Amino acid sequence: MSGLRIRFSPGNLETTVEQGVTLLEAARRAGAYVGAICGGEGICGKCRVIVRKGDVEGQSTEFLTRDEIRRGYVLACQVYPRSDLVVEIPPESRLTGYVGIGEDSRRFRDFSLRLAEPPPALSPLVEKFALSLPEPTLDNPTADQERLLSAVARKRPGPLQMGLKVTRELPRLLRRCEVARSSWKWTWNGNVTATVALRGPVNEVLCVERGDTSRRNFGLALDVGTTTVVAHLVDLTTGITREAAAKYNSQIRFGADVITRINYARQPGGAEALHQAVIEDIETLIEELSRQTQIGRGDIQCIVAAGNTAMLHFLLGLEVDVIRLAPFVPAASAPPPVRAAELGLRIHPRGILYTMPMVGSFVGGDVTAGILASEIYRAEELSLLLDIGTNGEVVLGNKEFLTACSASAGPAFEGGSVGCGMRAASGAIDSLRISMPGPVISATTIDGQPPLGLCGTGLIDALAELFIAGLLDRGGRFQPSAAPKHFRMAEDDGGAEFVVVGREQSGSNRDIVITQADVENLIRTKASIYAAVDSLIQSVGVRYSDIRRVYIAGAFGNRLNVSSCVTIGLLPDLPPERIQFIGNSSVAGARLVMVSRAMYEQMQQIVERITYQDLIVDAGYMERFTSACFLPHTDLKRFPTVASHITARLGSALAPH
Amino acid sequence: MALTGLEIYKHLPKTNCKDCGFPTCLAFAMKMAAKQVSLDKCPHVTPEAKAALESAARPPIQLVTIGADAQELKIGNETQLYRHEEKFYRPTLLAVRVWDTLEPTALSARLEAIAGLTFERVGTKVGVELVAVDNASGDAARFESLARQAVEVTGRPAVLMSAKADNLQRAARALSGKRPLLYISDPQQALAAAAVAKAENCPLAVRAESLEALAELTSKIAATGLEQIVIDPGARGLKGTLEALTRIRRAALKNFRPLGYPAIAFTTAATPLLQVVEASTYVAKYAAIVVTDLIERWQLLPVLATRQDIFTDPQKPVAVQPKLYTVGEVGAESPVLVTTNFSLTYYSVEGEVEASRVPAYILSVDTEGTSVLTAWASDKFNASTITKALKASGIEERVAHRKLILPGLVAVLSAGVEDESGWLVQIGPKEASGISSYLKNQWKN
Amino acid sequence: MSIPEVKEKWSARVSEVTIGATPAQGGTRARTVTIGGAGGIPFLSFDGALPHPPAIAIDVLDKQPVGWPKPLEEVYGDVWADPVQWARRAKELGADLINLRLTGIHPDEGDWPPSKAVEIVKAVLEAVDLPLIVWGCDFPEKDQRVMPKVAEAAQGERCLLGAVSQTEYRTLTAAAQAYGHTLIAASPCDINIAKQVNILVTDMGFPLSDIVIYPSTAALGYGMEYIYSILERGRLAALSGDKLMAQPVILDVGFEAWRVKEARADEEMADAWGPLAYRGPAWEAVTATDLLQGGADLLIMRHPEAIRAVREAVGQLMQGDGK
């Protein structure tokens, strides 16, 4: 039997596959995005598609209700086509490349502008100098190359180097050749622009152009996140972001978390596929930014990439397996600058890609960037930086010391491992209020679209509000008797599920619910982050009240409600004015480094100063985690503000303990 | 009071020079706070800082050495009242007593019995470390001869117990170079015994009728230059001994030097079982040495088990031997569960399997004592380690089926395990508490 | 030479729980048992008041047990087919309380209906006038049907009912509250969860003063130290004023001690470890007395020799203490 034709809608994407290929793989080949957080293991339940025509075979799954199965829903990773198929990808499973890009661009640009603005004295890693080289004479017969270098050296002192390729081109750049009938004539043209990039201890003349192009000098600040890739196109002559763009990391199709991807990389061709996925994402972003700003790719002289250690390894095509194996040593912690072209990135052909230095396998260039951007490295006061992503990174310190750790928080705040969770994209519920009696639920969605699910900020709100409304006990168990109409019974185990939005109002034609398992996941996620903070605080020997500033970084929705974070015990109960949401600090740090050589220097010093703590060997971590697996925490004395909420609900007769 | 990482850090050069082998001064300070590295690893610390840090780090209880060479035993240096606060460092030494008034045959039998007091429990060898030679006769020659004989027959260092300093001197000389612990039961002769201990290079245990008298005595002895002191508060019986041991430990941890020595306790109860209880209680509560008359194997085994338990490092995961375990009357169709060798994980699984009354095999994979998720994250619990353990366990000859129950938390490993091992994987519950009902209701073969 | 004052300045004490009710109190027990109240570290009378010695409950099963080793069979073999006879034997052996386990209601162990459990509980209450502890079978769906009936049938007797957990606490808490019983709050070897269960139960309005903590139990040599440290930490928290950890503690010593190899292996280990007839009771006795040093208030035990040794040790340790 020859291949099976599989057509996916919307988009009418088609492919032909042999038998024994999963529907998820078929979608990949057709170029149709289907959310698959677990990387096709059948355990996340996100790759729901509807088979409209044709037959599939495969395993039953607990992720689909009987009603959904009757309507043709299957999990794409668990079924194999048996005939030609027509498959519909429902909205909740679609992850189109550009969803939310406009919103993200605005958000990320705004946030970064709030940090360290204005930037320190402008001295970008790549500079352009307009030069006027005097014409050589018999009295001054200096060679072209030396002539150029000495002019550059006057602008940028220090060791200089220049490649053969540029030297070869130089004589023709500096002279115009006028061809007459039988002879030709060289005319001197000393007005050129030299592009000079910092490469390690020396500066390199990347290229020389005719005329004055010094105004056309751009760079790309990049944050390669596990979930989102963000790029800022920065004008290096002013230090200001011209435009920003974001897209989902296409590696998601190989798994939502770092460990799953590293596992995938072990398969033949796996590492290359992961590398290519990032490169293509960056290419897409460059294309988009170039289109929006009308700035040519050739005018982008450099890229500064931040990201966690695994992502930067994928980007550079370095071996990743060593990261997850004891003793957890990265292939490189401070990779030298490379030509972007070597990685297949099409900016200026000789443009340079710089990588933010990493501290270790679990504290990457995103954390060092965050430290730079939040300026906690020079703060007088004790400060805490929390970068909440699939890995939660925590940094505690000030100008005296810096210590960091990383907790595998899981993807719950990014929508993974939660039934109706989704990323901060159009249609995601990003804020939520529940008032009693009722309950009366009011919610907002990103872009005001009909709700499809809940993103991180929405989930945090939901947990906090359910708890304060008395619909969750402190252990995170639903209390359906408090609002019977808002709960439905799960089909599989009869457990209670809270209906946030009924199917009539939802954009996906199904109830948007929070299940008992979702709540447990969210509690575990918040507990792992809080426990990481607790471990750092304990190990250094300070008190919570000593912390004067808390910076929250991350990309899980822009309506982060600090008080909800405290209510569920994700953040310590500190005065709200000490807590600040700073958005994507990783890209902000990358941008700072790109526009300031002083910051680049600073960066190297910061890396040297960071003390990494491994929570796996911290005997107290599990215990801190367990005591944080409660709302807001087993020890309510740590959360006096929340205690007063609970007192208000339970009434004075039952003062909380 | 132990210093925090930050407090130590303040005394360090803060140059992050890495000469100590750690990436930063703070990392070094935190390791120091956790007692995993000592200050001498930092070559650049100033003398002032060194003095400040060392006085804060000085252990409040004297370290005392008994025995020599391969038989060297150390007690003291404890820093905690409660084991969970850090750990108890030096397991209580057990000494079984012999008297120089015993008939020769009874004596030999007793010494032979002591020589054999080693046990194998949960894969570890444990035993009695010391023989306590009691000069009950008051006769120096008998004492000396028994001291020689006891050490020779039991192969253990001795505690030489006498009321007379002279007798101690004679016996100690006979054991020259073997560094027995001298115990002087008469406080009046303690200073004379101290001179003997000093001359013979032995540690000395002294007794007094009250803690106050004891403190006075140790101060006098310390003034003679003898630091290797062990103290007997003189109390006898459960209540008095427990109180005295606790007071000594608490006072020592308040840096009261005259009681900052390891303590010795004696079991005196009327029945053997009560002496077992007594000995176990003193092991749990601060005795550095327990001298007992117990000699039967069933009597000493629980005391040794108490010691193993109480002196386990609470910061370190405890591992079970990685191997194939069976619960109940297993057969060719019994289910096979796989888990890690972290003892808490293993015992929860075992307990639940037992509760289910479904006979089963449990394969404990060597994950260096880490739990399922930790082991998975650090790649110690993966398709190949599981497959390797499976093949090495011999289970394939013992069951007719090829179905493996994998912890639900690592369901993600199932495909890999199936591929590598050729076994069919069934996903078990995520928590051990679900195993019993899983085996009863869902296990189908 | 004067030595430093080492008495700790504790700010609080363990709460007291009284189990059982006399006719004057609306029950039918001959006497009640009060546990808890400690104002210091176990058995250190200089540290704080120790009003009650630890109590001992003897295990009684509702039906003949499976797999009990010989030393226990010798003591109970002739009565264990009948819970009433067994309870009488327990009283003869000096129990302070009867610890009745409803095993037969478990779906796999007979699936007895609630009425049968009620019948057994009533019969035991009638036959023996000691305060009663009753445990369900640890199968939540079944316990939720049976235990409220048991609670109702024993109304007024102020039994100690077990056990509520982090996930299953509503039904039993409500039943205990409605019919005036005290409650065992169980947690799986985790001090934080112990506290969490207390919070959940009291958030329902159940009084903290009627809760007894069951922090799990482990036998000597098999993780005993985990429980030991949980007990010590709980006791320190209680004495330092943490009201949510200030409840007295019950430990299931007999069940755990008699399930390990040292208390089961007979002839095959006699040479290496000594005879089981002595070794088994010693294992139970030392498990109990070690854990008493950690801080325990109510022990469930099995072998009379072990019980005798524990009583004797406690008697010596508490000379001059208590009421």
Side-chain angles (χ1 to χ4, degrees), chain C residues 10-12 235-242:
Chain C
W10 303 116
S11 62
R235 183 58 51 104
L236 290 172
L239 298 175
S240 312
D242 186 343

Side-chain angles (χ1 to χ4, degrees), chain A residues 273-357:
Chain A
L274 284 156
H275 171 65
Q276 278 310 325
V278 180
I279 298 297
E280 280 162 26
D281 285 343
I282 299 171
E283 277 288 294
T284 309
L285 289 172
I286 295 172
E287 188 60 39
E288 172 70 11
L289 289 169
S290 172
R291 192 180 57 76
Q292 283 183 15
T293 58
Q294 298 298 306
I295 292 166
R297 284 169 174 267
D299 287 331
I300 302 174
Q301 311 290 348
C302 67
I303 298 175
V304 176
N308 66 47
T309 304
M311 290 306 123
L312 293 180
H313 276 52
F314 284 130
L315 170 65
L316 296 173
L318 300 174
E319 174 64 53
V320 286
D321 216 30
V322 288
I323 293 176
R324 71 165 288 206
L325 298 177
F328 317 108
V329 176
S333 57
V338 296
R339 292 225 194 279
E342 277 186 60
L343 298 172
L345 293 169
R346 292 175 298 136
I347 56 171
H348 187 281
R350 299 181 66 76
I352 307 287
L353 180 136
Y354 300 87
T355 314
M356 294 296 264

Side-chain angles (χ1 to χ4, degrees), chain A residues 99-104 106-107 248 422-431 443-458 555-559:
Chain A
V99 171
I101 199 166
E103 176 78 15
D104 279 350
R106 258 172 278 131
R107 168 152 34 98
Y248 296 108
M422 64 181 287
R423 299 192 178 80
S426 254
I429 295 174
D430 60 351
S431 79
T444 62
T445 63
I446 295 178
D447 297 341
Q449 294 297 307
L452 293 173
L454 296 114
C455 69
T457 53
F556 48 106
N558 52 349
R559 291 178 194 256

